[in-house]
Amino acid sequence: MKNLIRLTFCLLVLTTRYCTGQEAIIKTNHPDGWLIRTHSSSYQMIITASGELKSVYYGPKVTDARKNDAWVTTVDEIPVRGGSAFNTSALEAVFDDGCRDLDLEYVSGNVETIDNHPVLEVIQKDRYYPLQVTSFIKVYPANDILEKWIEVKNTGSRGNIKIENLLSGSIVLPTNQYDLTQLSGKPMNEFQIYNGLLTPGIKIIQNKTFKSNFNPPWFAVHPAGTSGNSGPVWIGSLHYSGNWVLKFDQAFGGRLQILGGINFWDTDIMLKPGDSFTSPVLTSGFTTKGLDGAAQNLSAYIRKDILPETHRNDLRPVIFNSYYADGLNVNEKVLEKQAKSAAALGIELFVIDDGWFKGRDNGNDGLGDWIVDSTKFPHGLTPLIREVNRLGMRFGLWVEPENVDVNSDLYRTHPDWVLGFPHRQGNPYRRILNLAKPEVFHYLLSSLTRLLQENNIAFVKWDQNNFLSDPGWPDAPPDERREVRIKYIQNLYRLVDSLKGRFPKVWFESCSSGGGRIDLGMMSRMDMAWVSDNTYALNRIFIQYGYLSCMPANTMVSFVVDKIGNYYRQPTSLNFRFNVAMSGILGISTDMDKWTLTEKELAKKKISEYKLIRPLVQQGTLYRLVSPFETNRCALQFTGNHTDSTVVLCYNMAAYLQGSQVVIRGSSLLRLRGLQPDAQYSLKNLDDSDDKGRMFTGDELMNVGIEWPVREAYNSKILLLEKLKR
Ligand code: DGJ
């Protein structure tokens, strides 16, 4: 009886549930702490008797708070520099008296709702010094996503606190051996997939060139030796577009701690009394459905909760972009002609890339003066825009606001507006404007506002083609100079946000010498991204496959071009180039008037085919069926979330030699996923108008598969499946 009373009492006091329907965040009393649950994951932290907040579990769903001996070895929820240095710290500070040792204790925890999502907010403070540390975890139960960020505040009335490191959060995985999958690359070769064992020690992936930079701040970690469609995977993606760092601290005993945030290399922040600083968000996710399941969850979350709300649910338009058609030689006459051809093919957005502004006769001049070139456009942009609109298209423009060419009026007038050190030369042609300076911010806001006010611009391609080599800010107070990288990014975000506030309907595209600045910080502001300047369709298959690990297809701009560079590349057919570009946001960037009549007819047909499959590609669930990194083929399946349609895009990078496993590497069958097993599907080749379609059941397509449909090298097929109504 005594036991029964005790059990009833325990059940009553064990949990206080803070629910938004899903019981996502639970306050536990035995042990004292918090249990966070998503659809298939749990995250648990406890408050020890001595007031330390420990992270004790992150992985497959557990039903309730559990006692576990492994807790003895757990890591602080916010690991700090201080005490014994067994873990990697997320926070390092120096107090006014020179003390570099932090000692946090739990103060309070609270659950609130932000944007309809439950958020756990936990306050800790240093046991002696006036530093308050608030950590946040926002929960997205349906997509198995947690967002973490940290705010530090100097609560004292005198004395500064120098922050030498503040990451966005730390997660600790169950003891095991793990593989790390990362995306790395360089201009023309972005988003390449790398995979390797995490051995004891710390693996750091990072960027120090001032932008997120050709290796997005994304990772996936999974038990060693696993990959593909099943099994546990933890992912992370940082919302930051400047210097970033991801750290993987694998202890000898198998405990893996992962941290991510701003890279404080050559950076610190001085918190004066009353000042606070908030880290960017680190998204993490857990799934039991392998790398593809992780990518699906991440994509769904990005599309639903991250992309700018203004166009979140809109289908992205078919684009014409002048860059690979005209280079810098754009002018009213040429573009008016191209606009007519573009409209005739079914293009919806007509974009002038580089070359339209004053002084831009070559790639080293004119940046900074955002005034229309009166030789190329004697009547301004208005007549061209009117014509584009009359033809039924929207009009877009390229800008590169953050840079200034030395040969520009802006640089001649304000040489002190650029970043640099007094006795260092820096880039002799192109400099980075010091956006940390209020006057630079205001100049850019007013010149871009004027441009958007004076012209009916529906789309802005925002480029940044520079690395930061000399981050000097000589006229700032000495103790603020090393904040320049962070202040720059804060003002960059403020600039884009202000413009979006003033022109809410305008679409934005992120570009940085190709895919040099694609991260969730940018993608919460930009509707789409230019993924690479490598427009060669075969290379693009790899780049795009990698990109789709971390971003949804409705952000992935892909062009059909004719010029394939001046070094030897195997030419590919126009149909193939279209089929590759059709797996994202389709665009054309070539002089369409040079096409034969047959090519024009093909282009028109492909654009209308794309419009047919566009809702599936842009808004459906992606199953990456065959990886180009593992075979010499690639297959991408997009299944509509609210329709009965599925499309599968299949590409051959080499001839299909039936029976030769050496050459085809991988199965000669194509197996689909995510279909309804007992439903009937009609399957037909979209490129073949005579194809009447064949019937299959869902389980046949998923378990038996169909013969790989493409025969020749550099060839492709688009298969369309319709589920039959019963
Ligand atoms: C780099 C971009 O990646 C290209 O698409 C193009 O916009 C050029 N800049 C223009 O200078």
Side-chain angles (χ1 to χ4, degrees):
M1 188 61 190
K2 217 165 138 192
N3 277 350
L4 189 64
I5 293 170
R6 191 180 299 147
L7 179 69
T8 316
F9 177 75
C10 279
L11 286 175
L12 284 174
V13 297
L14 181 70
T15 57
T16 312
R17 289 166 197 275
Y18 294 87
C19 313
T20 53
Q22 300 95 344
E23 298 182 341
I25 302 178
I26 300 167
K27 175 79 184 76
T28 62
N29 295 334
H30 299 290
D32 196 9
W34 304 87
L35 178 68
I36 296 173
R37 295 195 301 186
T38 67
H39 179 66
S40 50
S41 76
S42 294
Y43 185 99
Q44 188 166 1
M45 56 179 109
I46 58 163
I47 305 153
T48 65
S50 51
E52 289 152 345
L53 185 66
K54 300 273 185 192
S55 163
V56 293
Y57 181 78
Y58 186 27
K61 197 160 190 165
V62 291
T63 44
D64 215 329
R66 298 176 311 159
K67 269 215 163 1
N68 186 326
D69 289 346
W71 290 356
V72 179
T73 58
T74 50
V75 181
D76 290 337
E77 174 63 16
I78 313 259
V80 294
R81 182 175 65 195
S84 51
F86 289 125
N87 304 308
T88 299
S89 44
L91 173 60
E92 293 162 15
V94 185
F95 298 105
D96 212 25
D97 61 1
C99 172
R100 306 188 305 278
D101 183 282
L102 269 84
D103 187 4
L104 297 185
E105 83 177 317
Y106 174 81
V107 176
S108 62
N110 174 42
V111 176
E112 54 187 325
T113 301
I114 302 180
D115 304 330
N116 291 324
H117 288 277
V119 178
L120 172 60
E121 180 184 332
V122 179
I123 299 179
Q124 298 183 76
K125 66 173 176 52
D126 189 89
R127 288 180 203 265
Y128 178 80
Y129 294 97
L131 181 67
Q132 178 175 291
V133 180
T134 311
S135 55
F136 298 84
I137 304 183
K138 188 171 179 186
V139 190
Y140 296 80
N143 292 317
D144 288 319
I145 294 281
L146 306 179
E147 288 180 350
K148 283 191 162 196
W149 69 98
I150 301 172
E151 183 204 67
V152 286
K153 183 168 186 188
N154 181 345
T155 53
S157 51
R158 61 197 155 82
N160 294 346
I161 301 174
K162 190 203 261 188
I163 303 297
E164 293 188 325
N165 182 27
L166 173 66
L167 300 179
S168 302
S170 154
I171 56 172
V172 184
L173 274 50
T175 298
N176 206 344
Q177 272 214 313
Y178 289 100
D179 280 344
L180 167 68
T181 297
Q182 67 187 96
L183 296 167
S184 196
K186 60 176 188 168
M188 305 291 282
N189 205 7
E190 296 88 337
F191 299 100
Q192 302 301 306
I193 299 179
Y194 287 85
N195 188 27
L197 180 69
L198 286 167
T199 52
I202 300 184
K203 162 103 181 167
I204 294 180
I205 49 179
Q206 63 176 332
N207 167 51
K208 300 197 274 191
T209 62
F210 216 63
K211 46 187 188 182
S212 43
N213 199 32
F214 303 107
N215 50 338
W218 171 94
F219 68 85
V221 162
H222 34 103
T226 62
S227 66
N229 309 323
S230 60
V233 174
W234 290 256
I235 46 155
S237 194
L238 183 69
H239 301 225
Y240 195 60
S241 315
N243 288 356
W244 59 266
V245 67
L246 293 172
K247 297 182 181 181
F248 304 84
D249 180 346
Q250 173 83 60
F252 179 72
R255 187 273 292 126
L256 176 63
Q257 184 200 359
I258 304 173
L259 305 100
I262 293 179
N263 190 343
F264 270 70
W265 169 78
D266 188 34
T267 296
D268 50 46
I269 290 172
M270 197 60 88
L271 290 184
K272 301 193 177 80
D275 280 359
S276 61
F277 179 77
T278 305
S279 77
V281 169
L282 174 66
T283 286
S284 71
F286 171 80
T287 179
T288 51
K289 294 187 175 155
L291 287 167
D292 235 27
Q296 285 165 0
N297 279 348
L298 191 61
S299 277
Y301 150 79
I302 295 170
R303 281 190 304 215
K304 187 165 172 293
D305 297 293
I306 299 300
L307 292 177
E309 265 182 85
T310 35
H311 294 298
R312 197 172 274 172
N313 300 318
D314 296 346
L315 289 171
R316 275 61 181 144
V318 181
I319 302 171
F320 169 83
N321 176 292
S322 65
Y323 191 58
Y324 298 93
D326 312 311
L328 303 183
N329 302 319
V330 289
N331 63 54
E332 188 179 306
K333 223 169 117 210
V334 165
L335 289 167
E336 268 191 8
K337 193 154 171 272
Q338 284 170 346
K340 288 197 175 63
S341 311
L345 297 182
I347 302 268
E348 297 158 323
L349 171 66
F350 187 86
V351 180
I352 309 186
D353 207 284
D354 202 348
W356 59 268
F357 48 96
K358 187 169 130 259
R360 189 60 161 179
D361 295 322
N362 65 62
N364 288 330
D365 296 330
L367 282 186
D369 303 335
W370 299 109
I371 293 167
V372 181
D373 184 306
S374 58
T375 325
K376 294 174 179 176
F377 300 92
H379 318 286
L381 291 174
T382 304
L384 176 66
I385 296 178
R386 284 213 182 110
E387 176 63 359
V388 164
N389 294 159
R390 190 191 65 78
L391 289 163
M393 298 179 292
R394 281 171 279 178
F395 177 83
L397 201 62
W398 174 97
V399 289
E400 190 179 345
E402 298 154 74
N403 287 314
V404 60
D405 283 331
V406 169
N407 186 14
S408 66
D409 290 347
L410 181 69
Y411 186 78
R412 280 183 283 273
T413 322
H414 299 289
D416 56 322
W417 279 11
V418 301
L419 289 160
F421 293 108
H423 306 296
R424 298 282 178 252
Q425 191 196 355
N427 183 329
Y429 304 111
R430 180 179 298 181
R431 309 298 299 266
I432 299 192
L433 287 168
N434 184 355
L435 244 176
K437 284 186 162 198
E439 54 272 41
V440 172
F441 170 85
H442 289 298
Y443 165 77
L444 288 178
L445 182 59
S446 65
S447 55
L448 294 170
T449 298
R450 182 180 35 75
L451 195 64
L452 289 167
Q453 246 160 12
E454 288 175 2
N455 302 286
N456 185 18
I457 293 170
F459 169 96
V460 170
K461 176 176 174 183
W462 189 295
D463 204 348
Q464 159 42 321
N465 295 295
N466 216 342
F467 299 107
L468 185 68
S469 53
D470 45 355
W473 182 7
D475 45 2
D479 62 1
E480 284 176 31
R481 287 183 193 162
R482 279 157 65 121
E483 294 178 11
V484 63
R485 290 183 173 85
I486 292 176
K487 288 203 161 139
Y488 180 102
I489 298 297
Q490 286 174 336
N491 268 355
L492 170 65
Y493 287 165
R494 197 152 71 92
L495 180 60
V496 178
D497 293 344
S498 309
L499 286 167
K500 288 175 75 79
R502 289 177 185 188
F503 305 96
K505 288 194 182 143
V506 174
W507 296 75
F508 281 79
E509 175 181 297
S510 178
C511 173
S512 181
S513 310
R517 193 159 62 186
I518 297 173
D519 58 82
L520 293 184
M522 255 314 147
M523 297 316 292
S524 63
R525 299 174 163 84
M526 304 269 164
D527 305 287
M528 56 187 91
W530 177 234
V531 175
S532 179
D533 276 353
N534 190 334
T535 52
Y536 181 46
L538 281 173
N539 290 156
R540 197 85 192 186
I541 288 174
F542 291 84
I543 295 168
Q544 296 185 169
Y545 189 94
Y547 179 91
L548 293 169
S549 312
C550 68
M551 290 289 165
N554 70 338
T555 61
M556 185 175 84
V557 179
S558 188
F559 292 161
V560 173
V561 300
D562 287 334
K563 288 184 203 143
I564 52 173
N566 49 12
Y567 51 97
Y568 178 76
R569 283 163 164 184
Q570 176 71 40
T572 53
S573 70
L574 188 58
N575 195 65
F576 185 82
R577 280 175 274 148
F578 263 102
N579 284 354
V580 171
M582 283 162 72
S583 63
I585 302 172
L586 174 65
I588 291 183
S589 186
T590 195
D591 187 352
M592 298 151 290
D593 291 326
K594 295 215 173 97
W595 278 345
T596 62
L597 202 58
T598 319
E599 285 173 324
K600 281 184 190 161
E601 271 162 14
L602 176 65
K604 196 169 172 183
K605 176 172 162 278
K606 297 304 294 183
I607 289 174
S608 76
E609 264 174 23
Y610 176 70
K611 288 178 183 168
L612 182 75
I613 64 169
R614 172 165 57 181
L616 304 177
V617 171
Q618 294 193 8
Q619 297 173 335
T621 298
L622 168 63
Y623 299 84
R624 289 174 301 164
L625 301 178
V626 179
S627 165
F629 291 92
E630 290 164 13
T631 72
N632 49 21
R633 291 165 291 146
C634 175
L636 303 171
Q637 172 191 331
F638 295 93
T639 294
N641 294 328
H642 308 292
T643 70
D644 289 334
S645 309
T646 285
V647 66
V648 188
L649 299 99
C650 307
Y651 311 102
N652 265 18
M653 272 89 84
Y656 174 91
L657 299 182
Q658 198 171 16
S660 166
Q661 287 294 337
V662 178
V663 175
I664 63 169
R665 297 213 309 281
S667 170
S668 60
L669 292 175
L670 175 67
R671 291 192 182 89
L672 274 55
R673 282 192 238 141
L675 304 178
Q676 191 183 314
D678 59 348
Q680 288 280 330
Y681 289 85
S682 84
L683 180 153
K684 64 180 186 182
N685 173 7
L686 204 61
D687 287 327
D688 177 0
S689 46
D690 295 332
D691 189 350
K692 299 279 172 293
R694 286 180 293 156
M695 299 301 299
F696 295 92
T697 56
D699 49 14
E700 248 180 306
L701 290 165
M702 292 191 291
N703 300 331
V704 182
I706 55 168
E707 184 72 9
W708 178 254
V710 191
R711 300 277 127 186
E712 300 81 19
Y714 319 127
N715 231 300
S716 55
K717 278 210 166 81
I718 298 185
L719 308 177
L720 191 62
L721 285 94
E722 294 293 347
K723 187 168 90 180
L724 299 195
K725 307 255 176 297
R726 283 170 192 263

